[in-house]
Amino acid sequence: MKEAIVYSGPKVEFRDAAVPKAEPGQIVIKVVVSGSNPKDWKVPEWMEQANGTNQGDDIAGTVYAVGEGVTEFRKGDRVAAFHEMTKPGGSYASYAVSWAHTTFFLPEKTSFEEGAALPLAAMTAAVGLYAVDRLNLPHPWAPATKPTPLLVYGASSAVGSYVIQLAKRSNIHPLICVSGRAQEHVEKLIDRSKGDTIVDYRKGDEAVVQGIKDALKGEKLQYAYDAVSEKGSPQNIAKVLDAASGRTTFVLPPKGDWKGKFDEFEKSVHQSTTMVGSVHSENAADRDLGYVYFRYFTKGLEEGWFRGQPQEVVPKGLYGIQSALERLKDGTASAVKYVFRISETEGVGA
């Protein structure tokens, strides 16, 4: 089979590889569409051991084989899955590997393109919102019963968009959404009747902070989901988050000029980093959360209240990965998930 390997730069090369085998608890998926994420270019630059590996983690396709102990899925099932990051068997290939607990069914009405836009980013949203050591907000099946302001920084990103959809399902309002040129996309997701609003970051940091305060209308801000975690977002959150009881989660670890920015707050302020790879860790709570929410995504897709981030199919299949990662790196991507149809890859084969 054909496999794409990502190096720092980003630079993408190709190699022939054997079809992977399913170990106990695993599934081998015949990939129809693979999705991309910003981490696909970042990880090879951050981690030397990951430089020159298959970085694809979003899989959509059909079950090809199941390992020992897998009873939920059968060959031919339409599925999407979150591949275990930095491990062999990534989705930038004709066949990919996933664990059964991070695999979920795709309804017939859900395209493989939409399925490939979901796994990593949607689960990042769920872990950050609901894990007890992150924001620990009410689950959708036990929704909030009182106004619960939530700041969503980077609302038009894939993670931010999934945060909005899940938070709405949990009756979390008002949603204060920080966004830029993709506000039309965010507008389609929020509920103005519940007080949800958009703050334009392009007006500058002072305007952002004031816009958030105006949206709160005197209420305390206890929850913030930072789907950006750079370019001033942590500093702005520090100016509005309640100093006595706030909880904030970031998608990147503290670094540079904002490391320690929250030290002035009382110890009761809870800061966390949401690392989606925790659903593949030994942490039983996060593994179970991943299992439950991936299946909940299937329910949301079937019922229509959960949708994938808009997709752009990049031409030439796997040969389009480098151009997509370049666009993710230079910041030209906005409110879109780049996906690749394996069948469009020249010379692809089993």
Side-chain angles (χ1 to χ4, degrees):
M1 70 174 186
K2 192 81 69 177
E3 182 176 38
I5 304 301
V6 182
Y7 294 87
S8 62
K11 180 181 178 182
V12 179
E13 296 182 355
F14 296 86
R15 69 184 181 195
D16 291 327
V19 175
K21 295 183 179 180
E23 300 297 330
Q26 291 184 335
I27 297 170
V28 174
I29 298 170
K30 182 175 177 59
V31 185
V32 177
V33 180
S34 174
S36 61
N37 293 282
K39 52 113 335 223
D40 298 352
W41 70 263
K42 293 179 180 180
V43 168
E45 295 189 1
W46 293 345
M47 302 169 58
E48 180 57 35
Q49 67 270 31
N51 189 20
T53 56
N54 181 338
Q55 284 293 320
D57 294 320
D58 283 340
I59 313 168
T62 58
V63 174
Y64 177 74
V66 299
E68 180 183 349
V70 176
T71 59
E72 186 177 0
F73 302 97
R74 297 180 180 180
K75 186 171 184 177
D77 286 341
R78 300 177 79 254
V79 295
F82 175 35
H83 165 260
E84 184 174 3
M85 296 186 292
T86 75
K87 299 296 184 181
S91 69
Y92 289 162
S94 305
Y95 295 84
V97 175
S98 66
W99 292 95
H101 79 281
T102 58
T103 303
F104 58 106
F105 291 107
L106 285 182
E108 288 295 330
K109 65 181 181 180
T110 302
S111 69
F112 288 117
E113 289 78 10
E114 184 174 11
L118 288 164
L120 185 151
M123 186 51 61
T124 302
V127 171
L129 284 171
Y130 302 118
V132 294
D133 56 349
R134 278 79 164 196
L135 295 187
N136 194 25
L137 284 161
H139 294 282
W141 46 87
T145 57
K146 61 181 181 180
T148 307
L150 170 65
L151 175 62
V152 184
Y153 219 112
S156 66
S157 68
V159 172
S161 298
Y162 296 134
V163 167
I164 293 171
Q165 293 183 65
L166 290 171
K168 285 173 57 182
R169 193 70 179 175
S170 291
N171 195 36
I172 295 168
H173 298 283
L175 298 173
I176 304 168
C177 302
V178 179
S179 182
R181 65 183 184 273
Q183 291 184 36
E184 183 178 349
H185 168 65
V186 178
E187 194 69 52
K188 295 176 181 177
L189 300 175
I190 64 175
D191 186 345
R192 291 278 184 177
S193 71
K194 299 289 183 66
D196 298 350
T197 191
I198 300 173
V199 177
D200 192 339
Y201 69 77
R202 296 172 297 178
K203 295 181 179 180
D205 291 340
E206 289 187 9
V208 168
V209 171
Q210 188 59 52
I212 295 169
K213 290 179 178 178
D214 291 345
L216 287 167
K217 298 179 179 179
E219 295 293 322
K220 292 181 179 180
L221 179 66
Q222 293 179 289
Y223 302 100
Y225 195 120
D226 190 350
V228 179
S229 305
E230 56 186 355
K231 301 177 182 178
S233 61
Q235 291 92 327
N236 290 340
I237 291 172
K239 294 174 183 177
V240 294
L241 190 69
D242 184 67
S245 59
R247 297 180 73 96
T248 181
T249 193
F250 303 98
V251 294
L252 297 175
K255 61 178 181 178
D257 63 350
W258 71 271
K259 190 172 184 179
K261 186 66 183 178
F262 292 79
D263 289 349
E264 63 197 69
F265 285 0
E266 298 178 19
K267 292 183 179 180
S268 55
V269 171
H270 185 279
Q271 302 167 60
S272 63
T273 303
T274 292
M275 307 296 286
V276 69
S278 65
V279 300
H280 285 130
S281 71
E282 296 302 315
N283 184 321
D286 280 359
R287 288 175 65 89
D288 286 352
L289 187 148
Y291 175 91
V292 169
Y293 270 95
F294 274 126
R295 282 140 190 83
Y296 197 64
F297 296 162
T298 299
K299 174 182 172 68
L301 292 167
E302 184 63 50
E303 294 177 353
W305 55 262
F306 195 63
R307 295 298 306 271
Q309 183 80 334
Q311 309 98 53
E312 179 180 327
V313 178
V314 181
K316 300 182 180 180
L318 297 177
Y319 287 102
I321 292 173
Q322 180 158 330
S323 66
L325 297 189
E326 289 171 349
R327 280 181 277 174
L328 288 172
K329 184 175 182 178
D330 66 23
T332 56
S334 179
V336 68
K337 288 285 281 185
Y338 295 128
V339 300
F340 318 96
R341 293 174 178 147
I342 304 302
S343 63
E344 295 181 2
T345 308
E346 182 179 354
V348 70

